[in-house]
Amino acid sequence: MSKQNLAYNYDLEELREQETDRKRKIAHESGTFTFDRVIVARFVAIFILAGVLLAAIMYGRVELSSLYSRQAQLQAELEQYENENKSLESELAQKTGLTKVESYAEDELGLQKLNKSQIEYIRVKKDAVSEPVKQEDDNVFMRIKKTIGGILEYLGLK
């Protein structure tokens, strides 16, 4: 109804306002929230949830940053160890080189290289082939031992 109508009953309007005020008081006293309080509670809950999510994201970024710095530190340490390893390998190669070994053999051990005059050649006849001398076992016990050894070898026990 429009309030511009001259025939409008203002008493009814006052009654309606009193009724809504009475309902609000009853809802407030009974502990039920009004529509406005529910909306405010939702906004507060959303704000808290957004704060928690923001804090989780920031914590993740901080952890990620610390992991990246630890990785860089370990990478630098690895490079240092690799450089040290290369220098040790070159030092080892230098110490075990042929010239170093030859100088050690000559200076410390007193060894010398062979001259052509020190080399002696031996001629062997083609017919002269050495063969091992077969030893005869006259002993009975040795023959028994060989026989038993042959049997065990044949059976795969020896």
Side-chain angles (χ1 to χ4, degrees):
M1 292 216 244
S2 173
K3 291 187 179 183
Q4 293 178 355
N5 189 355
L6 293 178
Y8 184 74
N9 189 355
Y10 288 105
D11 292 332
L12 288 175
E13 184 65 31
E14 286 181 22
L15 287 174
R16 285 183 191 144
E17 286 179 13
Q18 288 174 358
E19 183 67 27
T20 56
D21 286 342
R22 187 178 64 81
K23 286 181 181 178
R24 284 185 191 160
K25 286 181 183 178
I26 290 172
H28 182 65
E29 290 173 359
S30 67
T32 59
F33 291 106
T34 61
F35 185 70
D36 295 337
R37 288 187 180 181
V38 171
I39 291 174
V40 170
R42 285 183 183 169
F43 279 127
V44 169
I46 289 172
F47 181 73
I48 290 172
L49 182 64
V52 168
L53 288 175
L54 182 64
I57 290 171
M58 288 174 50
Y59 178 74
R61 295 283 174 119
V62 167
E63 285 295 316
L64 191 60
S65 175
S66 68
L67 287 175
Y68 280 140
S69 65
R70 178 74 175 142
Q71 180 188 11
Q73 178 187 7
L74 290 174
Q75 191 69 28
E77 193 174 325
L78 177 66
E79 287 178 14
Q80 178 186 357
Y81 288 141
E82 285 177 348
N83 290 337
E84 186 177 335
N85 189 26
K86 286 179 184 177
S87 67
L88 289 174
E89 283 177 353
S90 66
E91 185 179 335
L92 177 67
Q94 188 179 34
K95 287 187 177 185
T96 58
L98 185 59
T99 56
K100 192 73 169 180
V101 170
E102 286 177 353
S103 66
Y104 178 77
E106 289 175 358
D107 297 339
E108 298 292 325
L109 301 176
L111 300 176
Q112 296 176 352
K113 286 187 176 183
L114 287 177
N115 296 332
K116 289 185 179 183
S117 64
Q118 293 175 323
I119 298 174
E120 292 182 21
Y121 294 100
I122 301 173
R123 293 191 180 210
V124 179
K125 295 180 183 177
K126 291 183 181 179
D127 300 0
V129 177
S130 63
E131 293 183 15
V133 177
K134 187 175 181 181
Q135 295 179 354
E136 293 186 24
D137 295 329
D138 294 332
N139 191 351
V140 175
F141 296 112
M142 291 302 290
R143 288 183 189 164
I144 294 172
K145 180 181 175 186
K146 279 188 177 182
T147 307
I148 292 174
I151 294 171
L152 289 176
E153 188 174 336
Y154 178 75
L155 294 174
L157 299 175
K158 188 175 180 183

